[in-house]
Amino acid sequence: MQTSVVVFTCDLRVSDHPPLRAALRGGGRVVPLFVRDPAVDAAGFAAPNRLAFLADCLRDLDARLRERGGQLVLREGDTVTEVCRLAAEADADEVHMAGDVSAFAHAREQRLRPALEGDGRRLYVHDTVSTAVAPGAVTPASSDHFAVFTPYYRRWSEQGLREVLDAPRSITVPEEVGSAPLPERAGVSGVSPGLCAGGETEGRRRLTAWLRSGVDAYVERHDDLAGDATSRLSPHLHFGTLSPVEVVHRARRTGGSGAEAFVRQIAWRDFNRQVLAARPDAATHDYRTRRDRWRGGRDAEADAEAWRAGRTGYPVVDAAMRQLRHEGWMHNRGRLLAASFLTKTLYVDWRVGARHFLDLLVDGDVANNQLNWQWMAGTGTDTRPNRVLNPVVQGKRYDPDGAYVRRWVEELTGVEGADVHEPWKRPARERAGIGYPEPVVSLAEGLDRFRRARARS
Ligand code: FAD
């Protein structure tokens, strides 16, 4: 009987899982494997919020495999060594896993393939596990990837998606393979108090609820900071507890402009992944250099620290930064404002901000995080690289009665309405009493500094 190993990475589900279905095709035995690799932690991909969410995901995946007669096997160590060792223990013929786009994932695959082949085993890498459309499946005439979203989206929309694969009914795991104990969420320290729950079961519940009662209003409400009316599916898409192919199919079936706009965001996710697949260095280097000489030194570090702490004196930016710390998640409009403020108003390197986001975001993702940071810094794919978002104007527009600010900035809970976005207009005596900081820099000064810097470059 044939035996296969399925290596789970960022695809922690049993539904719509091409590697698992391919491994089961011959009716043979399957070892579902997850490797906790210290190199992932060392590369900065592991952070408490993601480790806690991961623990939920692994336990739920194990439970869903057990319902089908299987179980998850967890090993700790170098992925290549552990996959080869387990494949030998189980006398496996082949190994299946999902394709991925980061430099780390490329290097892992490049080491794994020859190591397995040297032992007479084959590695099958499956696409459309972590994206709806595979990176490189659509390309412009003159390049290996799209650098502009709109033409990409046109081609992306024309692609026929593969069918959704049902979760397997039964799985047989060889008896002789043992597993390390699965991690527990409670065992992770430094987790944000408001962190959401992980796991495929929770992801599917959220998706169903979202498609039933959230997506229709997406066009009108997605930028409403206080309304919190986006799907919050990003951690599930990041960890692959939901399949992007299935999400797109199911969203399209609901019809309507809300679903269409939501699917467009999934295309943004694929867009960033095809950029990173073609330019893995974009995780750390400017995609398009503007020859910035970012501010450094003690003043810049003090400004960055005020930004991290949610104490810049700009209420909507501070609210967003405090939401990030409390929930390990931030509304997209908040992310845009926080990133514009750091890179343009404070003129601090986008990598400083991206690092802080990766330290806290439960959906922290190399492709989406680094490329969105670059987009906002103007070193990425934005066709208007020098746009600067004004936090007062944007605050009044996307948080018109100030409810979002009051939710997260407790010093300002007593200030009513849109006035909350301009606390410096309150009388000095009142300001001294509330303990909310004065602005770290005036918007005019920040704008002027940024424009001068970009004009020089
Ligand atoms: P929805 O609005 O419901 O969108 C549905 C899905 O589409 C999201 O779950 C996400 O997978 C995808 N999506 C939405 N917006 C974008 C976008 N701008 N780019 C790419 N994909 C998108 N997203 C991450 O998943 N991980 C990150 O680390 C990340 N870092 C970001 C950093 C900055 C500076 C900015 C501006 C954006 C970042 N985003 C990131 C994109 C976006 O903010 C989040 O995906 C979104 O806020 C998640 O909330 P949601 O699931 O409710 O999104």
Side-chain angles (χ1 to χ4, degrees):
M1 188 192 283
Q2 173 158 300
T3 303
S4 309
V5 174
V6 175
V7 184
F8 287 86
T9 54
C10 269
D11 49 345
L12 302 173
R13 62 178 187 269
V14 294
S15 302
D16 195 42
H17 196 278
L20 188 56
R21 291 304 299 254
L24 286 164
R25 203 163 287 142
R29 304 182 309 173
V30 168
V31 188
L33 170 68
F34 184 85
V35 181
R36 272 287 283 125
D37 188 335
V40 173
D41 299 20
F45 299 154
N49 287 335
R50 289 195 296 284
L51 289 177
F53 194 92
L54 173 68
D56 288 352
C57 295
L58 295 178
R59 285 185 172 264
D60 187 62
L61 178 60
D62 183 53
R64 290 173 73 82
L65 289 164
R66 283 178 191 274
E67 282 163 17
R68 293 161 172 82
Q71 73 164 103
L72 182 64
V73 173
L74 180 85
R75 293 288 168 94
E76 287 174 21
D78 168 57
T79 303
V80 174
T81 310
E82 294 305 318
V83 172
C84 291
R85 181 178 296 156
L86 186 68
E89 273 175 42
D91 197 18
D93 308 283
E94 43 187 58
V95 173
H96 295 263
M97 70 189 298
D100 205 343
V101 292
S102 67
F104 183 89
H106 281 303
R108 180 175 60 195
E109 187 186 323
Q110 271 168 14
R111 283 175 54 226
L112 185 56
R113 187 178 297 284
L116 286 169
E117 283 172 1
D119 294 342
R121 301 190 168 89
R122 286 199 63 179
L123 174 67
Y124 293 91
V125 176
H126 300 259
D127 61 20
T128 65
V129 182
S130 304
T131 52
V133 171
V138 291
T139 50
S142 55
S143 171
D144 58 354
H145 70 286
F146 278 94
V148 181
F149 178 71
T150 307
Y152 172 76
Y153 179 55
R154 204 173 304 123
R155 294 278 304 283
W156 185 94
S157 304
E158 288 160 10
Q159 285 290 109
L161 298 188
R162 64 167 174 77
E163 289 299 307
V164 174
L165 305 168
D166 290 336
R169 289 227 180 86
S170 78
I171 295 167
T172 310
V173 178
E175 272 167 20
E176 58 276 18
V177 291
S179 171
L182 298 182
E184 280 182 48
R185 180 183 175 113
V188 185
S189 55
V191 174
S192 293
L195 184 73
C196 58
E200 182 180 9
T201 308
E202 171 63 10
R204 297 187 74 75
R205 186 196 66 74
R206 267 186 188 269
L207 175 63
T208 301
W210 166 250
L211 295 179
R212 193 182 300 134
S213 53
V215 75
D216 280 349
Y218 188 72
V219 174
E220 303 79 47
R221 299 195 60 209
H222 72 278
D223 264 330
D224 172 0
L225 279 160
D228 200 1
T230 62
S231 72
R232 286 195 178 235
L233 293 176
S234 52
H236 293 284
L237 287 160
H238 172 70
F239 282 93
T241 44
L242 286 176
S243 144
V245 169
E246 182 176 356
V247 170
V248 172
H249 273 300
R250 285 181 59 183
R252 278 181 177 156
R253 272 209 302 275
T254 70
S257 57
E260 210 176 295
F262 169 70
V263 165
R264 194 169 189 274
Q265 296 310 111
I266 307 289
W268 262 109
R269 184 174 176 275
D270 281 4
F271 172 76
N272 286 336
R273 294 178 91 81
Q274 58 95 45
V275 172
L276 191 68
R279 290 275 307 274
D281 65 309
T284 47
H285 292 76
D286 289 351
Y287 177 78
R288 283 200 184 102
T289 183
R290 306 287 171 203
R291 289 191 294 282
D292 286 295
R293 279 175 288 159
W294 302 104
R295 286 172 65 224
R298 219 177 283 157
D299 280 359
E301 181 41 43
D303 286 354
E305 195 42 43
W307 175 83
R308 287 187 201 100
R311 293 188 61 77
T312 65
Y314 288 95
V316 75
V317 173
D318 292 343
M321 296 306 292
R322 295 183 195 193
Q323 177 180 29
L324 172 64
R325 199 169 283 279
H326 184 84
E327 294 192 353
W329 186 87
M330 194 197 281
H331 191 285
N332 180 59
R333 179 56 48 183
R335 298 187 203 209
L336 290 166
L337 291 170
S340 168
F341 192 80
L342 186 78
T343 58
K344 290 177 170 166
T345 306
L346 297 180
Y347 199 49
V348 169
D349 193 333
W350 63 266
R351 280 157 280 243
V352 172
R355 179 68 264 156
H356 181 68
F357 269 35
L358 279 185
D359 286 345
L360 287 169
L361 278 177
V362 61
D363 61 26
D365 177 277
V366 184
N368 263 359
N369 191 55
Q370 309 308 87
L371 290 165
N372 269 297
W373 268 96
Q374 293 228 43
W375 194 83
M376 206 57 249
T379 59
T381 56
D382 188 5
T383 48
R384 289 169 54 204
N386 292 333
R387 78 172 90 189
V388 180
L389 303 182
N390 180 317
V392 177
V393 173
Q394 295 256 320
K396 288 181 179 171
R397 185 176 305 154
Y398 299 116
D399 184 29
D401 68 3
Y404 178 71
V405 166
R406 279 190 296 279
R407 187 178 303 154
W408 295 109
V409 183
E410 61 176 12
E411 303 94 297
L412 298 176
T413 44
V415 184
E416 284 174 12
D419 287 353
V420 82
H421 293 293
E422 295 171 291
W424 49 85
K425 287 193 173 166
R426 319 291 299 176
R429 198 157 2 103
E430 192 186 313
R431 288 203 322 266
I434 60 174
Y436 183 68
E438 296 293 317
V440 283
V441 65
S442 81
L443 294 179
E445 197 184 324
L447 188 61
D448 184 51
R449 174 171 59 197
F450 173 68
R451 288 198 174 139
R452 276 188 287 113
R454 281 281 160 96
R456 261 201 320 264
S457 63

